[in-house]
Amino acid sequence: MKLSLIVPAALILSLGGAAALAAGPAADPVKGKAVFARCAVCHDLNTGANRIGPSLKGVIGRKAGTAAGYAYSPAMKKKAVTWNAATLSAYLAAPTTYVPGNKMAMAPMANPQDRANLIAYLQQAAK
C-alpha cells in the first residue's frame, strides 16, 4: 500500500513555512561583488577609509551614522537602526524614504535579488 502525503499550503504557512514558500533564489555573494562595483565609487570596503560616503568596513552590525570620522547627515545620525540584512535591504530599496534627509545620492536599488546579492557580499567581505 502506497500512501501519498499532501500538505495544504495553509498548513505549511501556519507551521512557519512562509519563509520557505516565499523565498526566492539564494543570495550570491559573487554576484554581489559585481553589484558592489556601483557602490565602490563612493564607499571603501576594507580599509576603514571614508570617501564621499562612509567606509562600509564592519557595516553589518553597526549602528547607522556611527562610522568614525565620517560627517553624517543629522537624519542618519538620528536613525535608530543597526545595519543587518533586513535594514540594509529596506534602505537600499528606498534610501530617501528609509532615511529622509540622508546624504546618499543613489537611485533606489529596485531589484531585490541585486540587494540580496550585495548584502551577501557585504556579510563576507566587509569585516
Side-chain angles (χ1 to χ4, degrees):
M1 176 176 185
K2 196 174 191 181
L3 295 175
S4 65
L5 181 62
I6 299 173
V7 181
L11 179 59
I12 293 171
L13 293 174
S14 69
L15 296 174
L21 288 179
D28 183 343
V30 173
K31 291 180 180 175
K33 184 176 183 178
V35 175
F36 181 74
R38 296 184 238 168
C39 311
V41 174
C42 297
H43 296 280
D44 171 74
L45 187 60
N46 298 108
T47 69
N50 294 314
R51 295 182 183 164
I52 294 169
S55 172
L56 296 181
K57 181 177 183 175
V59 69
I60 305 294
R62 183 169 71 208
K63 185 178 177 213
T66 62
Y70 185 75
Y72 285 96
S73 66
M76 188 62 79
K77 287 180 185 178
K78 289 181 191 175
K79 186 70 177 178
V81 67
T82 298
W83 297 122
N84 60 38
T87 57
L88 281 170
S89 183
Y91 178 60
L92 294 169
T96 58
T97 302
Y98 194 75
V99 184
N102 83 81
K103 296 186 333 184
M104 188 165 76
M106 180 195 104
M109 191 177 290
N111 184 320
Q113 189 64 55
D114 282 351
R115 292 193 309 271
N117 292 341
L118 173 61
I119 292 164
Y121 175 66
L122 291 175
Q123 288 171 326
Q124 287 185 354
K127 294 180 180 183

